[in-house]
Amino acid sequence: MRFLAVTFSAFVAASSAFAADFARDIRPLLETHCFDCHGDEEKPKGGANLERFKTDDDVMRDRAVWGGVLEKMESHQMPPPKRGSQPSATERGKVLAWIAEIAARPDPTLGARDPGKPVLRRLTRLEYNNTVRDLLGLDTDVFMFSERLPLADKNYFQPATGKLGDRVEVRLREYGGKYPVLLPQSGLPADNRAEHGFRNRGDAMNFSPLQLEQYVALAGEIVNHPDLPQRSRVFAELLGVEFNPLPAPAVATSSAQTRTAGGTVSPAVGVFAPDASKLAKAEGSPDWPEQFREQIAGAFGEGRGGVLDVGAASANTTVAGKGGLLRVPFGDAGTKTLTVNPDADLWLVSFATAEETSGSLLIANKIKKEKRHELTFKILGGDEEEGITRLGICVLGRSGQSGPVTLTARFTDDTATTLTATITEGAKGTTLFTFAAVPGEHIKSLVVDGSKFSGDYVLLDDLGFITSGRAVHNARPPATASVAEKRAPKAAPPVAPTAQPKTPVRSPVERLNAFVERTLRRPATAEEQARFHGVFDEARRTGKSDADAMRVAAQSVLSSPSFLFLAHPVPANAGKVRALDDYELASRLSYFLWASMPDEKLLAAARSGSLRDAATLEAHAHRMLRDVKVRELSESFAVQWLRLDQLYTSKPDRDLFKDYYAGPQGKDTLHGSQLLEALLLFETVLVEDRGLIDFVDADFTWLNPRLAKVYGLEYPASRAVVADSDLPDQSNRELKKRAANANNRWHRTALTDKARGGFLTMGASLTVTSLPFRTSPVKRGAWLLETVFNRPPTEPKVAFVVENDTREAARSMSIRERFEAHRSRDACYTCHIRLDPPGFALERFDAVGVWRETDGGRPVDAAGEWNGLAFDGPAGFKAVLMAHPEEFVRGFIEHLLSYALGRKLEIYDQPTVLAIQRAARADGYRFSRVVAEIVNSH
């Protein structure tokens, strides 16, 4: 099976203007090696008659056939391996290079390179949900569906940081359990999955009159939801009613919290240190001032952060130590509160010898010379286990005083980060200290130590914070108290804010036009606008109010083909081949990376006509890769690519694999842990922009205590806990809760044994490719060929059943022994020569991914040959793959490109795949480079 080097060099040769004459150079080779089976006969094998091609023109008229020829010859399936006469490496390379060359030729009927036929595809169920959610600015899904992974929260996933951290906390909910949505009793039918592809493939989608009725009914339920005007500012504006958000749910508080429920209240603002023209940065702080300002503004707008900027009404107030509170309402309508509890008296005051970074007040120690105190933080009314992940504060310089000040952030895992800066005299000495928690942990307190500072007081201002709460988009615009508190001299009274003209009330037509354009993701045609106006007018004529008529019109928009399908009007003068317009590019990019509609920044670029500029398009792609909505690339693309959507249907035998089940009735299975291990690897590569090679040969993995025990790997001792299966008393609720909480904690763990690392050797992949009571080398081999190499095997021509395939037989005879007779048959050998090596390479792992030395009482035989190189076991097999990583990289690029385009790749897409592969290789196969090249391949 020495074929990869020939294949890849052949493609490279083709890209260098390889030119062979078909009649002279290629047809004679086909006649010698192919026409016996694929000649001009009544029933050629596989339905492929190659003898009918006489000239280059014949070839180009039916070029698609040669894509299949390429795959069969490249993989050495054809000519059949047991056939005596085989083409030489040179001959095989010549045919493959010629196929690569014809793939790159202009299409004779188009007069240009074939970009692929436009695919009329509708939104998938996931895309529909995400689009309506983002269109209306909802903070929950619209309905429940199985594609939404059972993650109770996703707070660890913060791609803007560029780092996943080495420790994260992820809580799972019960698979199939309910979770908060707008319409808990509604939904849409599941989407079909394309063979060897994805749910978003247009050719795999169906759309019936019954489905259209379901879309119309669902749109009606959405727009008529009684709480929607209070949950969606967008919808309230569309109806022309005032947006009055629903009150936050009541939050149970402890008695201690009740006792300290008073305190000084200072609502959060959204602008950090606006009065500071220049800030020094404490060495070791992760953020520069401008970066931190941008992060705070963004978090404030999403309702998960802000700035404590003490208001003028609190002048000369004392916050008592060990009991007094500074309360900082934040979030949409101030539904959450950050409490700051000092262990020593604080003074909210103004000093004439210092310049505040905002407003007119600062925070100082109340007792002279007592310059060391600790501020403890807590969040009330927030999401479950919400805490501070990023913190910044300004230490003010003061005339005639200087010296070192030390700040220490303490985290929930009992670690701490300490920063020290020398505060010089005057305003130029004002210094910004910032701190960041590792994913999964929070900042619980801040220790301020100015004991070595020359002055009697340590002056603090603008405490900025970002939490792990869910983003509520467009919660509030950034604001700052200092706008109303700007000072001329300090003694001057606050300047009254300038009266702003009221925003003019828009007419129903204007509101509907804006909604239609946003919903259709492009400017609406005059005919479309007229149609929706007609729906509104007709509803008004029947006696409906403006608001109710607008609901009817909105239902019409949300169930229109222009919304449900990703198709744009084609200009009347468009030729056979045309460039995508800016709006088409915006939608293609957003549904690729976010599985949702374009955001306002992307639409603004489309409106300006700048999106077709390669640099601009790539810049938006990089921006979107740093947005939390890119989670869908892992939860939609990666889950389908790796077949993890089939994991929960795997049911390992309870008697043979006892460790897979835990808890009452064994309901706590290993499915969730296996899923998360794989998801975290993909997200690590995505967020940290690592090389694609980590997908196959990573030197680390993610473990929780339970998975570490199953794998027989060491888990960090500082986090070691009792696993669920070890609990002696099922009624010991506290112990079980501690174990469950510990298993929510994941550590990035270095691997020294190459047998583990990457998707090939993960429990999820190994479980989903096994039967309930034994492994399946055929399923594992087929999974590897399809997932890793994107060269899925053909369906077997001969039905085959393993004799005596029972639980008892699995204990007495190895699966390799039982397969040996079958794989040697001539009719089976062609497929098994490709299936068996990767399948048997993984036989060192049992049906749930546990390492084993024996199978059926005999030593495991995991030896084989791939690309002409011998290996033994998973580590050896991965070493062979890494000798030629192009094979895996090409397969991944093809999968991702197909997902991005929403269609099957054809032979004329191969030059694009090769161009992306070359660019990726030059950049270390980094994930973002592959994405950027795909985005610019439009």
Side-chain angles (χ1 to χ4, degrees):
M1 285 190 66
R2 185 182 300 277
F3 64 87
L4 178 67
V6 171
T7 301
F8 191 69
S9 63
F11 270 71
V12 171
S15 68
S16 303
F18 176 90
D21 181 81
F22 174 72
R24 184 190 69 231
D25 301 319
I26 304 302
R27 185 176 166 86
L29 295 177
L30 301 177
E31 186 174 355
T32 301
H33 299 290
C34 305
F35 285 179
D36 285 351
C37 297
H38 302 287
D40 190 10
E41 55 188 51
E42 194 171 313
K43 288 187 178 179
K45 290 189 177 180
N49 175 10
L50 301 182
E51 193 173 356
R52 64 189 173 91
F53 295 97
K54 312 291 186 185
T55 66
D56 274 346
D57 290 342
D58 295 339
V59 169
M60 292 304 294
R61 275 192 291 270
D62 194 5
R63 193 169 35 164
V65 170
W66 298 96
V69 174
L70 182 146
E71 289 190 16
K72 299 297 184 184
M73 290 196 70
E74 175 191 57
S75 61
H76 283 225
Q77 292 182 80
M78 294 295 163
K82 286 198 171 185
R83 177 174 171 166
S85 174
Q86 291 287 324
S88 67
T90 301
E91 291 173 327
R92 192 181 296 269
K94 182 182 291 187
V95 175
L96 295 175
W98 169 77
I99 295 175
E101 190 270 327
I102 66 169
R105 289 182 189 176
D107 185 274
T109 61
L110 299 176
R113 278 272 303 274
D114 192 339
K117 292 181 175 63
V119 178
L120 179 65
R121 79 168 187 89
R122 60 171 171 79
L123 300 177
T124 65
R125 179 165 64 173
L126 170 70
E127 291 168 339
Y128 180 96
N129 170 83
N130 292 353
T131 302
V132 174
R133 178 201 65 201
D134 293 345
L135 172 69
L136 299 177
L138 299 174
D139 58 1
T140 68
D141 281 337
V142 180
F143 48 81
M144 286 179 275
F145 49 95
S146 59
E147 294 94 302
R148 185 63 77 214
L149 300 184
L151 303 178
D153 64 59
K154 193 82 172 182
N155 294 331
Y156 72 90
F157 185 71
Q158 300 295 335
T161 65
K163 185 74 174 174
L164 210 60
D166 294 325
R167 187 169 56 240
V168 301
E169 186 161 343
V170 192
R171 292 180 300 108
L172 291 171
R173 56 177 170 77
E174 183 179 356
Y175 181 74
K178 293 184 178 180
Y179 55 96
V181 294
L182 179 71
L183 300 170
Q185 305 302 322
S186 303
L188 290 171
D191 299 297
N192 295 326
R193 175 136 181 206
E195 185 179 18
H196 311 308
F198 303 92
R199 295 189 189 96
N200 69 347
R201 278 249 305 262
D203 58 318
M205 292 179 168
N206 56 350
F207 196 75
S208 65
L210 176 60
Q211 282 180 293
L212 179 58
E213 291 178 12
Q214 290 173 316
Y215 278 104
V216 173
L218 180 61
E221 291 183 65
I222 293 170
V223 301
N224 289 301
H225 192 288
D227 295 339
L228 189 59
Q230 294 175 276
R231 297 180 66 167
S232 167
R233 186 186 301 273
V234 172
F235 196 68
E237 291 175 354
L238 173 65
L239 298 187
V241 301
E242 186 177 354
F243 177 57
N244 293 312
L246 289 171
V251 178
T253 58
S254 67
S255 58
Q257 291 169 342
T258 303
R259 287 196 301 272
T260 61
T264 301
V265 178
S266 185
V269 296
V271 181
F272 183 83
D275 296 348
S277 58
K278 187 175 182 181
L279 285 172
K281 171 179 172 287
E283 185 174 355
S285 293
D287 303 299
W288 291 95
E290 286 309 313
Q291 292 174 320
F292 192 69
R293 283 186 172 111
E294 290 178 6
Q295 292 174 21
I296 288 291
F300 182 81
E302 295 176 344
R304 55 184 189 89
V307 181
L308 166 57
D309 180 11
V310 182
S314 300
N316 210 25
T317 298
T318 298
V319 180
K322 299 181 180 179
L325 286 180
L326 262 172
R327 298 169 60 84
V328 190
F330 70 102
D332 202 12
T335 53
K336 305 178 185 181
T337 299
L338 168 69
T339 64
V340 183
N341 183 6
D343 67 350
D345 290 357
L346 295 183
W347 194 13
L348 310 182
V349 68
S350 176
F351 279 82
T353 53
E355 294 185 14
E356 291 85 354
T357 53
S358 67
S360 57
L361 298 179
L362 49 79
I363 302 172
N365 46 294
K366 174 68 172 179
I367 301 174
K368 193 174 182 179
K369 297 185 183 297
E370 294 293 328
K371 295 176 289 184
R372 190 185 188 283
H373 51 266
E374 182 170 7
L375 312 176
T376 300
F377 308 118
K378 197 164 191 176
I379 292 177
L380 306 178
D383 296 335
E384 188 175 354
E385 298 183 17
E386 183 173 355
I388 296 174
T389 58
R390 222 167 187 87
L391 184 75
I393 194 167
C394 296
V395 177
L396 303 185
R398 190 177 179 192
S399 298
Q401 298 174 2
S402 63
V405 173
T406 298
L407 270 58
T408 300
R410 291 178 173 170
F411 303 97
T412 48
D413 61 353
D414 296 326
T415 61
T417 295
T418 298
L419 302 176
T420 299
T422 298
I423 308 301
T424 57
E425 294 184 15
K428 66 180 181 181
T430 297
T431 302
L432 171 65
F433 292 71
T434 64
F435 301 88
V438 298
E441 304 295 343
H442 302 133
I443 299 171
K444 63 180 182 181
S445 69
L446 181 70
V447 178
V448 179
D449 186 356
S451 55
K452 296 181 181 180
F453 185 72
S454 67
D456 295 332
Y457 302 91
V458 175
L459 311 183
L460 309 175
D461 203 2
D462 282 280
L463 187 149
F465 62 95
I466 298 173
T467 78
S468 57
R470 290 177 302 166
V472 181
H473 294 288
N474 301 318
R476 284 188 291 170
T480 174
S482 65
V483 170
E485 297 178 11
K486 291 281 187 180
R487 309 167 314 280
K490 286 185 179 289
V495 178
T498 304
Q500 297 294 324
K502 291 185 178 181
T503 303
V505 177
R506 295 188 299 173
S507 68
V509 169
E510 291 172 319
R511 299 198 306 270
L512 182 56
N513 284 350
F515 181 75
V516 169
E517 180 169 338
R518 189 76 179 88
T519 305
L520 303 190
R521 307 168 287 269
R522 57 170 173 79
T525 64
E527 293 79 10
E528 288 170 328
Q529 292 285 23
R531 184 164 63 250
F532 298 129
H533 294 164
V535 173
F536 174 82
D537 293 340
E538 179 61 28
R540 288 291 289 122
R541 280 194 292 271
T542 62
K544 292 185 181 294
S545 65
D546 272 3
D548 287 343
M550 194 65 78
R551 292 179 191 271
V552 177
Q555 179 183 10
S556 176
V557 178
L558 290 176
S559 53
S560 69
S562 299
F563 171 69
L564 297 177
F565 286 82
L566 290 171
H568 289 223
V570 178
N573 60 348
K576 294 180 179 178
V577 177
R578 68 174 180 88
L580 298 177
D581 69 30
D582 290 76
Y583 290 98
E584 288 172 302
L585 283 174
S587 286
R588 182 172 287 190
L589 179 57
S590 67
Y591 283 99
F592 168 31
L593 297 181
W594 290 347
S596 185
M597 66 186 299
D599 65 357
E600 186 51 43
K601 289 182 179 178
L602 205 53
L603 287 175
R607 281 192 290 269
S608 70
S610 64
L611 208 52
R612 277 177 287 183
D613 174 71
T616 301
L617 191 59
E618 184 172 337
H620 277 284
H622 284 292
R623 173 183 67 83
M624 295 167 71
L625 285 172
R626 291 290 170 259
D627 191 285
V628 292
K629 288 191 285 188
V630 81
R631 64 177 286 184
E632 300 297 2
L633 201 56
S634 62
E635 295 187 30
S636 179
F637 166 74
V639 166
Q640 293 179 74
W641 168 49
L642 298 168
R643 303 278 159 170
L644 298 179
D645 49 346
Q646 301 170 6
L647 179 59
Y648 276 89
T649 64
S650 300
K651 304 295 181 185
D653 187 275
R654 288 175 177 262
D655 293 330
L656 293 177
F657 306 104
K658 292 183 173 64
D659 287 344
Y660 204 86
Y661 302 89
Q665 292 86 48
K667 288 185 177 180
D668 185 9
T669 69
L670 209 58
H671 290 108
S673 293
Q674 290 181 333
L675 174 70
L676 273 173
E677 181 193 14
L679 200 67
L680 286 170
L681 173 58
F682 187 90
E683 291 177 343
T684 303
V685 173
L686 167 64
V687 170
E688 299 180 0
D689 200 14
R690 300 171 69 99
L692 302 181
I693 303 305
D694 279 349
F695 289 152
V696 175
D697 194 31
D699 60 0
F700 68 92
T701 193
W702 288 90
L703 296 175
N704 65 358
R706 187 173 174 192
L707 200 59
K709 180 185 176 184
V710 170
Y711 284 173
L713 297 175
E714 184 178 351
Y715 192 75
S718 63
R719 288 294 196 182
V721 295
V722 180
D724 290 353
S725 57
D726 293 337
L727 296 178
D729 183 4
Q730 293 289 344
S731 65
N732 189 337
R733 294 177 129 186
E734 184 57 34
L735 190 58
K736 287 195 292 181
K737 183 178 179 181
R738 284 174 53 204
N741 288 341
N743 282 312
N744 292 336
R745 296 175 186 138
W746 289 80
H747 277 254
R748 190 194 311 228
T749 305
L751 297 172
T752 56
D753 185 354
K754 285 287 189 179
R756 294 279 183 190
F759 293 128
L760 277 64
T761 55
M762 278 188 177
S765 308
L766 296 165
T767 300
V768 84
T769 55
S770 295
L771 300 178
F773 51 86
R774 67 164 173 84
T775 62
S776 174
V778 170
K779 288 184 70 174
R780 286 180 175 176
W783 180 88
L784 279 158
L785 291 176
E786 177 175 352
T787 300
V788 177
F789 307 126
N790 195 32
R791 294 296 181 265
T794 54
E795 290 293 325
K797 302 182 182 69
V798 180
F800 168 68
V801 178
V802 176
E803 295 181 6
N804 191 25
D805 197 18
T806 63
R807 181 193 305 171
E808 291 70 25
R811 287 170 165 161
S812 61
M813 181 181 291
S814 75
I815 192 63
R816 187 157 193 163
E817 290 175 309
R818 285 183 280 165
F819 266 83
E820 199 61 43
H822 163 71
R823 68 189 295 268
S824 298
R825 299 178 188 175
D826 288 347
C828 307
Y829 186 74
T830 297
C831 287
H832 279 276
I833 196 173
R834 302 178 68 227
L835 281 169
D836 289 356
F840 284 120
L842 301 178
E843 276 295 282
R844 287 284 186 183
F845 300 103
D846 70 11
V848 296
V850 176
W851 184 265
R852 63 181 180 177
E853 296 291 342
T854 61
D855 175 28
R858 293 165 175 77
V860 171
D861 181 0
E865 182 181 299
W866 189 256
N867 294 343
L869 300 175
F871 65 83
D872 189 357
F877 180 64
K878 288 198 294 182
V880 169
L881 295 186
M882 290 303 97
H884 297 290
E886 301 91 351
E887 189 177 17
F888 156 69
V889 171
R890 180 188 61 184
F892 178 81
I893 290 171
E894 289 173 345
H895 280 301
L896 192 59
L897 180 60
S898 175
Y899 176 82
L901 296 175
R903 65 169 174 83
K904 179 183 177 182
L905 297 190
E906 304 291 351
I907 186 172
Y908 44 75
D909 293 307
Q910 284 306 311
T912 298
V913 172
L914 278 171
I916 296 170
Q917 186 170 342
R918 287 192 202 94
R921 184 172 67 251
D923 199 10
Y925 296 123
R926 286 194 306 125
F927 188 89
S928 68
R929 175 48 49 200
V930 173
V931 169
E933 294 300 320
I934 287 176
V935 167
N936 269 320
S937 70
H938 63 87

